[in-house]
Amino acid sequence: MHRLMDFSDIIGQHDMAQRLMRLADEDRLPHAMMLCGPDGAGKLALALALACHILNKGTFKVKGTRHPDLHFSFPTIKPQKESSEYKPISNDYIEQWHNLMADGPYFSLAQWMKAMEADKQQAIITVGEANELIKKLNMKSNQGGWKISIIWLPERMNQECANKMLKLIEEPPAQTLFIMVCREPEKLLETIRSRVQRFDVKPIAADDMQQALMQRRMLNTEDARRITRLANGNWLTAIEELDAGNENRLFFDYFVALMRKAYLRDVKDLKRWSENTATLGREEQKRLLTYFMRMTREAFMYNFHNPELSYMTHNEEEFCKKFARFVNEGNVLGFQELYQTALRDIGQNANARMVFFDITMKVAVLLHTT
């Protein structure tokens, strides 16, 4: 994205865009704000468009995502060359960030992890980043106007970082604007949440999604309508569905394999499945478990024979024609609790082999529960 970012680049979200522009033009923006909402709704796009709207009033225009008074903070991993004591900062990966943003401000944590070439590490925002940001924001503005800090996924700040960021937000340098782009605000310190003004970004409206798919991706009306329904307001899901090799197809294969092996109660095969799944990166494992929860819900809803309640791809629906009867009122909550517990355990760095083998054993029991 080498041209200037503009609110017109955002998919849908017209009301929110107008609200933010009006607050900026009337000089009524809070010094610290948080855009909250689901994946793929365009929170980062709104944050960047707002920053550009403010900074482009100066003599130095924002070129894509680069401006001397625009600072990005985001989850990182420790670079391989650094010692174990090193606290990574966003500048360690700033070129990868700009390269990813060059394709537009719509991407997932998974895509960012891939851009950093992360393996099994969990990405966080460290106190090193907080210290670096304090230094940057205490310097004089390059253009004599606003300094803007966009913090992507602030819920991934560790405790030490969060405490320093709280103090920075409480005592901000002059003409500094903080824009947090948050997916899970409940994971942020309550004291930080209480000091920022929250703006809730809704999923993209169906009409806006369909129009964008037709205009930007040249889809015909029927294909755009089908993908819009499947995406359910998430632009990332829509784009993934257009990608023949997307991650969800891999997760679908994992899900189908587990259900078939668990139904047969083949312990040797189940053990092999759990060991194979354990080789995935931590973030990928968490996304896999989230996918399993969605598929369980879809299989359960399929039993009601109401197409309006179903949000599946063609392959998922074909599988559920025979599989759905094994997900019923007697076990659906058990499945969901199992995956939710595993998601928590993986997030706390539990032994992945043990977690996934435990899943296989319990799924084998649940499939035969009525």
Side-chain angles (χ1 to χ4, degrees), residues 265-331:
R265 294 176 173 172
D266 187 328
V267 176
K268 187 179 290 187
D269 266 3
L270 287 172
K271 185 171 184 291
R272 192 177 298 118
W273 182 93
S274 63
E275 289 173 348
N276 185 41
T277 309
T279 64
L280 299 174
R282 289 274 170 179
E283 298 297 338
E284 198 171 9
Q285 289 168 0
K286 289 193 279 188
R287 295 193 299 275
L288 175 75
L289 290 165
T290 301
Y291 176 84
F292 280 19
M293 284 191 283
R294 182 180 77 78
M295 274 302 294
T296 302
R297 180 259 180 203
E298 295 299 341
F300 181 66
M301 298 307 291
Y302 186 85
N303 293 313
F304 293 94
H305 304 293
N306 184 348
E308 291 301 312
L309 300 176
S310 177
Y311 295 88
M312 291 186 282
T313 65
H314 176 73
N315 287 343
E316 289 168 348
E317 189 169 346
E318 284 299 305
F319 176 69
C320 278
K321 285 180 180 178
K322 293 183 178 179
F323 171 71
R325 63 192 176 94
F326 293 101
V327 182
N328 52 64
E329 292 179 356
N331 63 17

Side-chain angles (χ1 to χ4, degrees), residues 131-230:
N131 291 332
E132 186 73 9
L133 192 56
I134 290 169
K135 278 190 244 175
K136 290 176 181 176
L137 297 179
N138 275 301
M139 293 174 66
K140 186 179 178 181
S141 166
N142 190 280
Q143 298 297 304
W146 284 94
K147 293 167 289 185
I148 300 180
S149 166
I150 294 180
I151 305 171
W152 186 60
L153 303 184
E155 61 268 40
R156 285 188 167 253
M157 293 188 290
N158 63 19
Q159 188 71 34
E160 197 178 1
C161 176
N163 289 333
K164 283 225 170 183
M165 285 300 302
L166 172 62
K167 184 170 177 58
L168 182 60
I169 291 169
E170 287 179 328
E171 302 172 10
Q175 277 198 290
T176 299
L177 172 64
F178 296 94
I179 310 175
M180 294 186 175
V181 178
C182 192
R183 181 176 175 268
E184 300 174 291
E186 68 280 0
K187 291 185 177 180
L188 263 176
L189 281 181
E190 194 281 328
T191 44
I192 290 181
R193 295 201 306 270
S194 67
R195 283 162 177 77
V196 301
Q197 184 172 334
R198 176 169 170 168
F199 296 79
D200 288 305
V201 181
K202 298 177 181 178
I204 299 169
D207 287 347
D208 293 328
M209 174 84 72
Q210 186 170 324
Q211 283 300 313
L213 286 168
M214 294 168 66
Q215 293 171 5
R216 301 186 185 205
R217 299 287 167 157
M218 305 304 173
L219 297 189
N220 61 45
T221 304
E222 185 52 41
D223 286 344
R225 186 182 295 122
R226 181 184 66 81
I227 290 178
T228 294
R229 177 167 172 72
L230 184 67

